[in-house]
Amino acid sequence: MVRSKAVLQRERKKRTEAGHPWIFASEINRVDGETSPGDLVDVVSFQGKYLATGYWNPSSQITIRVIDHKPVDAMDEAFFIERFEQCKQHRTRFVNGSDCRLVYGEADFLPGLIVDRFGDVLVVQILTLGMEVRRDALVSALSAVFAPKGIYERSDVSVRGLEGLEERTGILYGECPRIVEIIENGLKLEVDIMEGQKTGYFFDQRENRASIAPLMMGWGARSGIRLMERPEAAAVGDSVASAAGKESDLVPVNANGKVVSFPYWDGATVLECFAHTGSFTLHACKYGAKKVTCLDVSAHAIETAQRNVERNGFTDRVEFVVADAFEYLRTQVKGIEERVERSKATVAGKLDTSKPMTGEAGRKWDVVILDPPAFTKSKHAIEGAVRGYKDINLHGMKLVNEGGYLVTASCSYHMRPELFLETIQAAAVDAGKTLRLIEWRAAGKDHPQIVGVNEGHYLKFGIFEVRSR
């Protein structure tokens, strides 16, 4: 069978030759031969040189999605098995644990397909017509390669509309319980595969969550707590460097000389905003945080976070807040500013006691974590997104104790890394803060990136030390 050919325009950017997997309608001169939406086509230059093979959808602005730069006979079950085996090998090498993103669309050379593994269940998103028409083959291949107990579809995303597809959800294979427990960095979390956001959980921040570990300890000295020799050890002439050499010879003692019994006396106070299911809260507790404030605007999300905290034994160290993060941050900052003004008025003898304080506002934390949802999915709304990111980071860093840390992220693709950094710096200038960049990260290893395909480089994650100027 002679396959149809998509002939590209003579005058165009050589994106396909550079390895980009998307070919837009404006880049195509014509299609030679008869073909149906979803079929494979060979992509050739205007001069007729073969460039790639991809599937075609004339209803989409991304008209061709490349699956390979060498000829492919068919996207059948054998094709999917081969690709899924490659995905499996990558995750086996780089991911510690079985719960992860197994298939990441274009970056795994399977454009339009997302697959996450939660315990014994796979959750799939079929985003494009080219994958939709091969639903049966890819489900059979997933079953053959990963041997799940069930496969559940979460194709309830608006981008399917751009492909002329309706949104859909449901069981594709086997049995799929609504709630599944996963393990991430040694922590237990529940995932609602049917009602949770997107596929149910965000694996892309796994390594980033683990990266906060160094921030969680070393704060006791600020409260005047020091490690001292045990009184009984000193009585017999032992020293810290005694032959016994036991860590138990040292005990935490407060400024009044009393032994501190609270085991997390050296831990940080932490605020996590946009907590969703509390994943950063769990990691903060795991790594030794003293007290964590877990905040989300969704009561359902906070209920899930509470269950996750309970199943890991951290209940006594976490407080939960259901509130809009923007408003909460502003209220806390306002409380701090009020306290400063009242202090100045008291010194000047001009305090107006008829004006009450703003409730319990005015708190600060050693570490503030901001992991918001995307503020824009369009380049036309980038100005509003910049304002949003500046606002939360400005107020967030104002709530960080001196020398503490701001942990901040953006998952908006159109918020390019350099723009995100510029926005954080602009917030620091307005807040009167100096930031030291400690770490800059992207998505985890189960979310590989094709170099030159900027659309896949969406996640930005930074850890900043915050100091006043």
Side-chain angles (χ1 to χ4, degrees):
M1 180 185 73
V2 178
R3 180 172 292 159
S4 298
K5 291 183 174 59
V7 182
L8 301 187
Q9 298 282 9
R10 183 192 300 272
E11 302 297 329
R12 61 180 174 85
K13 293 182 179 179
K14 301 296 190 286
R15 298 182 334 116
T16 304
E17 290 87 336
H20 201 287
W22 294 354
I23 299 175
F24 291 93
S26 60
E27 298 177 275
I28 300 172
N29 179 274
R30 67 183 187 276
V31 175
D32 292 340
E34 295 185 3
T35 188
S36 299
D39 284 354
L40 292 179
V41 296
D42 288 336
V43 181
V44 300
S45 69
F46 191 81
Q47 292 77 22
K49 179 183 177 182
Y50 173 84
L51 300 176
T53 296
Y55 58 75
W56 178 70
N57 182 3
S59 298
S60 173
Q61 283 299 306
I62 306 175
T63 306
I64 299 173
R65 296 181 188 255
V66 173
I67 61 167
D68 213 321
H69 290 270
K70 60 180 182 294
V72 174
D73 291 334
M75 285 180 70
D76 53 13
E77 185 174 343
F79 166 87
F80 283 112
I81 286 176
E82 180 182 8
R83 292 288 164 99
F84 291 154
E85 287 288 358
Q86 294 172 5
C87 295
K88 183 178 181 179
Q89 290 170 11
H90 175 83
R91 274 69 184 180
T92 300
R93 181 182 298 275
F94 290 109
V95 178
N96 182 17
S98 61
D99 301 314
C100 64
R101 173 148 294 181
L102 292 178
V103 180
Y104 184 38
E106 284 81 353
D108 279 309
F109 313 105
L110 288 164
L113 180 64
I114 300 294
V115 182
D116 284 342
R117 179 166 54 195
F118 303 113
D120 294 325
V121 175
L122 304 184
V123 178
V124 305
Q125 283 188 331
I126 299 172
L127 306 176
T128 58
L129 178 64
M131 286 295 174
E132 178 74 26
V133 298
R134 297 169 176 87
R135 171 187 299 271
D136 292 343
L138 70 87
V139 169
S140 295
L142 283 173
S143 176
V145 174
F146 298 108
K149 290 184 178 179
I151 301 175
Y152 192 81
E153 182 176 8
R154 283 295 304 274
S155 299
D156 50 342
V157 286
S158 60
V159 294
R160 280 174 61 93
L162 302 177
E163 293 275 320
L165 301 172
E166 295 181 351
E167 298 181 20
R168 58 183 292 175
T169 63
I171 295 175
L172 297 179
Y173 169 84
E175 298 180 355
C176 301
R178 174 175 172 175
I179 304 298
V180 181
E181 184 174 274
I182 66 170
I183 302 295
E184 178 178 282
N185 299 323
L187 292 161
K188 301 175 183 177
L189 299 95
E190 76 171 50
V191 174
D192 186 341
I193 66 170
M194 298 182 186
E195 299 294 335
Q197 294 185 27
K198 296 196 174 179
T199 62
Y201 187 69
F202 300 103
F203 281 126
D204 52 3
Q205 295 264 39
R206 178 197 292 102
E207 288 94 329
N208 299 339
R209 294 178 189 118
S211 74
I212 69 173
L215 314 182
M216 294 300 116
M217 298 288 286
W219 301 94
R222 293 190 175 218
S223 303
I225 300 175
R226 297 288 187 275
L227 285 174
M228 305 287 289
E229 290 183 57
R230 284 183 179 276
E232 58 269 27
V236 296
D238 286 295
S239 66
V240 176
S242 66
K246 297 179 180 178
E247 186 178 350
S248 59
D249 288 343
L250 300 176
V251 294
V253 177
N254 65 21
N256 296 323
K258 294 183 178 180
V259 174
V260 177
S261 60
F262 184 59
Y264 303 101
W265 60 271
D266 199 34
T269 57
V270 180
L271 169 64
E272 181 192 7
C273 292
F274 310 98
H276 190 216
T277 54
S279 52
F280 275 102
T281 289
L282 296 176
H283 284 78
C285 289
K286 171 184 171 69
Y287 300 131
K290 177 168 59 179
K291 191 71 176 180
V292 182
T293 303
C294 179
L295 180 148
D296 197 277
V297 71
S298 166
H300 177 267
I302 287 297
E303 289 169 2
T304 304
Q306 286 178 309
R307 291 192 294 272
N308 283 332
V309 166
E310 289 170 4
R311 67 173 16 100
N312 287 279
F314 301 145
T315 305
D316 60 333
R317 286 186 282 153
V318 181
E319 62 174 349
F320 298 94
V321 178
V322 177
D324 176 82
F326 286 87
E327 184 60 32
Y328 185 84
L329 294 172
R330 292 190 196 102
T331 300
Q332 296 302 322
V333 170
K334 183 178 179 182
I336 293 171
E337 293 171 346
E338 284 183 359
R339 293 178 192 277
V340 171
E341 291 303 314
R342 288 173 74 92
S343 177
K344 291 179 180 178
T346 300
V347 172
K350 299 179 179 180
L351 177 62
D352 183 357
T353 57
S354 67
K355 294 182 178 180
M357 289 289 294
T358 308
E360 298 296 323
R363 298 174 61 186
K364 284 192 172 186
W365 291 263
D366 299 320
V367 180
V368 172
I369 301 172
L370 306 174
D371 183 23
F375 287 167
T376 177
K377 296 182 179 180
S378 165
K379 63 181 179 180
H380 303 296
I382 191 63
E383 289 186 11
V386 169
R387 288 193 296 271
Y389 283 113
K390 182 178 179 181
D391 185 56
I392 60 166
N393 282 283
L394 185 150
H395 289 93
M397 66 183 68
K398 284 185 176 182
L399 300 180
V400 176
N401 284 324
E402 185 67 20
Y405 297 91
L406 174 70
V407 179
T408 184
S410 167
C411 61
S412 300
Y413 156 66
H414 294 286
M415 192 75 177
R416 305 304 303 149
E418 59 276 10
L419 179 58
F420 188 46
L421 276 171
E422 290 172 5
T423 302
I424 294 170
Q425 171 60 10
V429 170
D430 288 356
K433 303 293 184 181
T434 295
L435 302 181
R436 288 207 298 175
L437 177 59
I438 306 302
E439 193 156 8
W440 185 254
R441 306 173 65 92
K445 296 182 180 65
D446 55 350
H447 290 66
Q449 300 176 359
I450 301 296
V451 176
V453 184
N454 291 332
E455 290 82 358
H457 302 191
Y458 68 98
L459 183 61
K460 288 77 59 180
F461 175 90
I463 298 176
F464 298 85
E465 183 190 69
V466 183
R467 295 179 178 270
S468 298
R469 288 203 301 273

